[in-house]
Structures are given as C-alpha cells and as structure tokens.
Amino acid sequence: HLKDVMVEAARYLLASGYSLAYGGDIHYSAGFNFAMLLKEMVMTYRADYKGENARVTNYVAYPIFHTISTALEAELIDVVRFIRVPPPVDLAINKKDDWQRILKAETVHDQYLFARCLTEMRLIMNESIDARIILGGKQTGYKGRYPGLMEEVLIAMTSHKPVFII
C-alpha cells in the first residue's frame, strides 16, 4: 500500500504541474525502484509540461553520490537533476579518498560523518522546496542522526515550511 500511495501522490503532483524534490537513495531493488517509476511518470506528463527538463530533483549526500553510475545518470538525464551535496565544510574529510570508508560507516567516527552528511543534504534540500510530504521511511537501521523523515520534518518545521504527513 505504501508503494501505491507513493506512486499515486507523485503522479498527482506531476500531472498538476509540480516539480518533485527527492532525497532518497535511487538504488532500490528491481521490485520497486521509485526513481525509475518517477522517470516513467515524468515522461508521461512531459508533453503537458512543455518539455521543461528535470521535473525531479534528486538531492544526494556525500558519500552516496559516488555510487551513482554513469549509466544510471545517463538513463535519467532528461528526467532527474542530481544535486550532489558535499560534506559540511567543518568536517575534515578527504572527499576523494574517504568516501568508501564513510559509506561503510563501520566506526563510530564514520557513522558520525555519514550522519552529518545526511543532515547537510536535508538542510540544502529544505532551502529549495516549498513544502514537504512525508510518507514511509525507515524506523530502524537508518544512518542519520534521526530517522531521515523525522529529521526532515524537524528541519522543515523549524524553517516554517508546510509539512504534510501521510
């Protein structure tokens, strides 16, 4: 049911002419790949949108953006605009060499760095959106300071953005 609601909410917004911002990881199982579903929906409604590119903006935190393959990016180029959010400037990270270690997050320090990078991505994304729709999300096994959607609600409400919880 969650997948159906995600798809229908996105379909309605796209059909109504809205652009979507997405902060989730685009690497999902073949059984449910939300990025690919978004691509198909955008292509369906493109004629009504007068050909404007990138109706979906995917905000991707360091180090996750290093995992986006060139092939996937090429496949989504007309539909998804990727915003690669670098780590917070106050963190001493060698962006070129440390990303694989931080992505694994095996130590408490790397878990902290990863969580700070996710928070930075959510803050940057929040600056560019008009409202936030909350649907689904992890309750356990999350990599951030809080579960991602909980942190997004906190950031949105702190900056007085409307939040719609489904």
Side-chain angles (χ1 to χ4, degrees):
H1 295 305
L2 179 63
K3 294 172 188 174
D4 290 341
V5 172
M6 289 173 68
V7 169
E8 290 305 316
R11 184 187 331 271
Y12 175 79
L13 292 168
L14 289 167
S16 298
Y18 290 95
S19 294
L20 302 178
Y22 182 61
D25 190 346
I26 61 170
H27 301 95
Y28 288 105
S29 69
F32 182 70
N33 187 320
F34 192 54
M36 292 303 167
L37 287 171
L38 287 173
K39 174 191 172 197
E40 291 170 14
M41 283 188 274
V42 169
M43 298 307 284
T44 299
Y45 297 110
R46 173 145 316 207
D48 295 335
Y49 201 64
K50 302 188 177 32
E52 188 170 321
N53 275 350
R55 295 190 54 205
V56 177
T57 302
N58 185 209
Y59 289 82
V60 190
Y62 175 91
I64 299 168
F65 63 68
H66 284 288
T67 67
I68 300 171
S69 72
T70 305
L72 180 61
E73 190 167 3
E75 184 176 351
L76 298 174
I77 196 163
D78 290 332
V79 178
V80 178
R81 179 173 60 121
F82 290 97
I83 304 291
R84 289 169 172 78
V85 179
V89 294
D90 65 311
L91 297 181
I93 293 177
N94 179 337
K95 295 179 207 167
K96 198 174 205 178
D97 299 327
D98 292 346
W99 74 268
Q100 290 176 320
R101 187 193 79 240
I102 295 169
L103 187 64
K104 292 178 187 173
E106 293 174 340
T107 68
V108 171
H109 180 68
D110 288 341
Q111 291 168 3
Y112 168 77
L113 295 175
F114 201 149
R116 286 285 312 280
C117 291
L118 291 170
T119 298
E120 182 75 2
M121 181 268 300
R122 293 175 180 129
L123 288 167
I124 298 295
M125 182 180 178
N126 192 70
E127 292 174 10
S128 301
I129 62 172
D130 296 319
R132 184 161 307 267
I133 298 172
I134 301 298
L135 174 66
K138 290 183 179 181
Q139 296 177 353
T140 61
Y142 51 88
K143 301 257 185 188
R145 182 176 178 191
Y146 309 110
L149 294 181
M150 185 172 152
E151 185 173 41
E152 290 174 4
V153 168
L154 178 63
I155 291 168
M157 292 181 78
T158 301
S159 62
H160 307 289
K161 303 257 179 166
V163 176
F164 301 92
I165 300 174
I166 300 175

